[in-house]
Amino acid sequence: MKLSIVSSQEEGITLAYQMLADAILGGAKTLGLATGATPIPLYQKLVASDLDFSDVVACNLDEYVGLAAHHPQSYAFFMAHYLFSRKPFKAHYIPNGAAAIPQEEAKRYDELLQENPIDLQVLGLGENGHIGFNEPGTLFEETTHVVNLAPSTIAANSRFFDNEADVPKQAITMGLANIMASQSVLLLAFGAKKAKAVKGMIDGNVTQALPASVLQRHSSVHVIVDQEAAVLVTQ
Ligand code: GLP
């Protein structure tokens, strides 16, 4: 695991952008993408760049169950807004939150991932150490599945909704096995709220209690954090 501690979020995003640009220029054809506030400035930089994604496929990590792509809080809407409506990709995929049977949609999405092996997976980090929506307790072997969101995740993500009661209780997410199958991983975490999860991910034991800790077993992970997020890291 390679760790870069940067002095500002802006510096971290610039570094992440460079890594992503290098991957694209180096021939990466499939990107795994994340939502959340953290990658927004990265997507803005991609949009402003002259990088060409017309031969690149993007597969997103996750989607809320029950939210169709036109729902403003859906991750499909988020991705269209920040990236896909502004930068042409060859194709972009995300689980369908409005699918009648979410478990079947998870299976379909997993098959799609088998057909599109990910070269570079971009990740944020949940305050409880989740990646995608793989909550504490998720088996490392899980592939794409339906998850019951942890109360702490519902509380953390309520900032994007009018009320906490409006936050969906379930999501479809790539599993940890899918994330581990990507050729390389770029994880971004900024701010003091992520400090505990960052410490567990880097310094702690590899444990299901902190899903991101599984990344210690991946051979190509680059973690970019600011000083606030790195404050508890000792290694
Ligand atoms: C959500 C997403 C994650 C994301 C996390 C952190 O739960 N499912 O993929 O990493 O939020 O979000 P933020 O970047 O807003 O802190």
Side-chain angles (χ1 to χ4, degrees):
M1 199 179 258
K2 184 172 174 201
L3 175 66
S4 296
I5 302 177
V6 293
S7 56
S8 68
Q9 186 167 330
E10 202 187 339
E11 195 189 318
I13 292 295
T14 301
L15 183 56
Y17 169 78
Q18 280 159 1
M19 288 184 53
L20 210 145
D22 286 350
I24 295 301
L25 297 172
K29 289 284 175 258
T30 307
L31 295 177
L33 296 180
T35 49
T38 307
I40 292 175
L42 175 62
Y43 298 152
Q44 287 166 336
K45 252 184 158 34
L46 295 183
V47 167
S49 77
D50 54 10
L51 285 174
D52 180 9
F53 291 91
S54 60
D55 203 23
V56 175
V57 173
C59 299
N60 260 83
L61 281 166
D62 48 13
E63 179 60 283
Y64 289 114
V65 167
L67 301 194
H70 57 78
H71 189 290
Q73 260 66 48
S74 73
Y75 285 164
F77 190 96
F78 174 104
M79 290 306 301
H81 176 75
Y82 286 107
L83 190 58
F84 300 137
S85 65
R86 299 161 199 253
K87 197 73 168 167
F89 276 65
K90 184 175 169 190
H92 50 87
Y93 303 118
I94 189 161
N96 176 10
I101 305 175
Q103 287 77 6
E104 275 181 18
E105 172 60 8
K107 191 163 171 277
R108 183 196 69 83
Y109 197 71
D110 205 72
E111 285 162 9
L112 192 141
L113 294 174
Q114 308 306 323
E115 290 156 20
N116 294 277
I118 291 172
D119 295 306
L120 175 63
Q121 175 67 56
V122 176
L123 293 176
L125 181 65
E127 289 171 32
N128 65 2
H130 73 222
I131 45 179
F133 267 133
N134 290 281
E135 298 285 28
T138 306
L139 298 177
F140 293 160
E141 298 76 25
E142 283 271 22
T143 54
T144 310
H145 62 287
V146 177
V147 60
N148 294 323
L149 298 178
S152 61
T153 297
I154 292 173
N157 288 4
S158 65
R159 67 202 142 113
F160 298 112
F161 293 80
D162 290 338
N163 302 295
E164 194 166 318
D166 296 340
V167 185
K169 307 288 179 285
Q170 289 189 311
I172 299 171
T173 183
M174 275 190 208
L176 295 171
N178 302 107
I179 292 171
M180 291 297 280
S182 68
Q183 207 152 86
S184 57
V185 173
L186 171 59
L187 185 143
L188 307 172
F190 303 120
K193 281 186 174 172
K194 304 290 171 77
K196 235 176 112 195
V198 166
K199 180 176 176 54
M201 171 176 69
I202 293 171
D203 283 344
N205 295 329
V206 176
T207 166
Q208 282 173 20
L210 201 138
S213 67
V214 74
L215 296 172
Q216 291 178 29
R217 294 186 179 159
H218 194 289
S219 58
S220 176
V221 179
H222 194 136
V223 173
I224 301 176
V225 291
D226 62 1
Q227 279 153 354
E228 286 81 2
V231 73
L232 301 174
V233 174
T234 50
Q235 273 186 34

